[in-house]
Amino acid sequence: MKAFIIDRYGKKEVGRIGEMPAPEVRDDDVLIQVHAASVNPLDSKIKSGEFKLILPYRLPLVLGNDVAGKVVRVGARVRDFKPGDEVYARPDDDRIGTFAELVAIKASSVALKPRSLSLVEAAALPLVALTAWQVLVETAKLKKGQKVFIQAGSGGVGSIAIQLAKHLGAFVATTTSTANADWAKTLGADVVIDYKKQDFASVLRDYDVVLNSLGNDELNKSLQILKPGGHLISISGPPTPAFAAERGLAWPVKQVLRLLSAGIRRKARHKGLHYSFVFMRADGAQLREITALVESGAIRPVIDNAFPFADTDKALAYGESGRAKGKVVVQVI
Ligand SMILES: NC(=O)c1ccc[n+]([C@@H]2O[C@H](COP(=O)([O-])OP(=O)(O)OC[C@H]3O[C@@H](n4cnc5c(N)ncnc54)[C@H](OP(=O)(O)O)[C@@H]3O)[C@@H](O)[C@H]2O)c1
């Protein structure tokens, strides 16, 4: 099959389209003919080697962490899907590779795609919507009337997290650049701070939850806007020893993560705040909840741009610019 492959890790690695063997279909898997796959910063971080410690892959590696397509075959133990079903998924960490003609994914990580979406639109959702769900519903347990600050509201995660938080009944603040400020309000943000002109830490007060997706500066400033007992949840690091334990990472890796996160954990503790790191995981049951939210009109995918499969390298480079408004999709068919 044709696939977008990296041969080595490195900032200069661009990847290439080449031939790879079709994936092995295990008894619990569905084999999906990929129609579309969206781009995530995770693809670029894997490509650069930044995630080697946490996600040790064998090279050459097919990149891609999001898919929408048609089931072509199911494993012997699969009962919930049949050939012809239109599905979407974020594959499990150790089985990525959606920038390809075919991908095999555990059936428990797959869901039927929302009927109201095309396959291109559906491909924009799984990873970012699961991230938003695992941060806001699972970790923060966000309740009606609570105040949440979602950084980078125009990004892939931000644009879905705003809609989900609003659906949960929260009061939502976000940051965007000048050009995207009005648009973020249409997603449901109650307060939009233009980060080019104002510092969010001097405007926001008494928040219950922060979703941090930016750097160290924003992470530390987020502590200032939380009320006592508030929860700072970061998806851009630093990872915690609790995350290392959950993932069963080796002892030396756990010690590295302990050191990396010691500062923010200590500062949060002194202020009576909680700090968590979330690294999203594949989950078909949660994806079914997301399908229902899309079908009820509560959330919709946001697509900046779509590229043909032959231009997957350009799609990744566009994502790496950090300026995408919503998601970048690769159309494999
Ligand atoms: N841990 C996890 O499970 C997990 C899951 C998903 C993503 N992530 C991480 O979360 C981060 C965001 O992911 P993403 O997919 O949302 O990225 P993205 O879509 O590539 O983010 C691009 C957006 O960020 C905005 N932005 C850039 N700098 C900003 C700033 N200083 N303040 C406010 N907005 C800013 C840009 O808006 P302007 O053009 O207007 O500046 C652009 O719309 C990445 O580091 C990614 O690796 C982690």
Side-chain angles (χ1 to χ4, degrees), residues 39-42 45 51 90 127-128 131-132 134-135 151-159 174-180 183 193 195-196 211-215 218 234-237 277-281 318-327:
V39 168
N40 290 283
L42 179 58
K45 291 179 182 180
F51 271 58
R90 183 282 198 250
L127 190 142
V128 291
T131 303
Q134 288 166 21
V135 169
Q151 290 167 357
S154 57
V157 174
S159 57
T174 193
T175 42
T176 69
S177 61
T178 316
N180 294 328
W183 173 78
I193 295 163
Y195 73 86
K196 304 257 182 190
L211 193 176
N212 174 66
S213 57
L214 295 170
E218 288 84 359
S234 180
I235 60 169
S236 49
F277 171 75
V278 167
F279 190 79
M280 65 79 52
R281 45 170 220 290
Y318 185 78
E320 283 163 22
S321 74
R323 297 279 80 83
K325 183 171 156 185
K327 296 281 297 179

Side-chain angles (χ1 to χ4, degrees), residues 15-314:
R16 64 180 170 92
I17 293 197
E19 284 294 323
M20 287 291 273
E24 172 207 358
V25 184
R26 301 177 190 165
D27 286 353
D28 294 325
D29 286 350
V30 295
L31 181 68
I32 300 170
Q33 180 185 32
V34 180
H35 280 238
S38 70
V39 168
N40 290 283
L42 179 58
D43 300 310
S44 302
K45 291 179 182 180
I46 291 172
K47 181 161 67 70
S48 72
E50 206 178 306
F51 271 58
K52 264 191 300 196
L53 266 186
I54 296 176
L55 301 171
Y57 293 113
R58 278 222 307 269
L59 298 170
L61 173 72
V62 182
L63 279 185
N65 283 277
D66 258 330
V67 62
K70 277 196 187 143
V71 174
V72 287
R73 187 148 65 87
V74 300
R77 283 206 294 267
V78 174
R79 299 283 169 267
D80 295 340
F81 300 98
K82 57 182 188 319
D85 283 347
E86 292 194 329
V87 295
Y88 68 155
R90 183 282 198 250
D92 291 74
D93 287 333
D94 56 346
R95 310 275 308 276
I96 68 165
T98 60
F99 297 147
E101 290 176 314
L102 295 165
V103 65
I105 304 183
K106 258 180 16 204
S108 58
S109 302
V110 176
L112 292 175
K113 81 157 179 65
R115 282 186 299 271
S116 51
L117 298 184
S118 68
L119 286 161
V120 167
E121 289 169 320
L125 271 179
L127 190 142
V128 291
L130 287 169
T131 303
W133 185 277
Q134 288 166 21
V135 169
L136 299 177
V137 177
E138 203 173 72
T139 308
K141 301 186 173 48
L142 195 64
K143 291 183 192 60
K144 197 169 181 230
Q146 284 192 314
K147 288 163 69 176
V148 59
F149 172 48
I150 293 165
Q151 290 167 357
S154 57
V157 174
S159 57
I160 295 299
I162 291 174
Q163 298 179 68
L164 178 60
K166 210 58 213 164
H167 168 74
L168 296 168
F171 179 87
V172 183
T174 193
T175 42
T176 69
S177 61
T178 316
N180 294 328
D182 287 338
W183 173 78
K185 287 202 170 146
T186 69
L187 295 175
D190 298 286
V191 175
V192 180
I193 295 163
D194 179 344
Y195 73 86
K196 304 257 182 190
K197 296 184 183 149
Q198 262 187 318
D199 178 359
F200 72 83
S202 64
V203 181
L204 305 177
R205 282 286 165 274
D206 293 332
Y207 274 68
D208 296 284
V209 177
V210 174
L211 193 176
N212 174 66
S213 57
L214 295 170
N216 212 26
D217 192 31
E218 288 84 359
L219 181 77
N220 280 290
K221 279 185 182 170
S222 294
L223 296 171
Q224 299 171 29
I225 72 158
L226 284 161
K227 62 160 79 148
H231 202 158
L232 170 57
I233 303 171
S234 180
I235 60 169
S236 49
T240 56
F243 162 75
E246 246 169 58
R247 289 273 164 152
L249 299 177
W251 185 84
V253 181
K254 192 171 175 183
Q255 298 319 305
V256 172
L257 301 191
R258 183 185 300 286
L259 278 176
L260 283 175
S261 61
I264 192 71
R265 287 187 291 115
R266 190 185 57 249
K267 286 181 211 160
R269 208 167 42 242
H270 283 169
K271 285 178 153 283
L273 304 171
H274 305 282
Y275 172 71
S276 305
F277 171 75
V278 167
F279 190 79
M280 65 79 52
R281 45 170 220 290
D283 191 319
Q286 289 179 353
L287 212 45
R288 285 199 292 279
E289 306 255 17
I290 288 153
T291 298
L293 289 182
V294 174
E295 286 178 345
S296 73
I299 61 173
R300 59 187 156 91
V302 179
I303 296 179
D304 176 302
N305 209 345
F307 289 77
F309 185 46
D311 291 341
T312 304
D313 55 343
K314 296 188 181 69

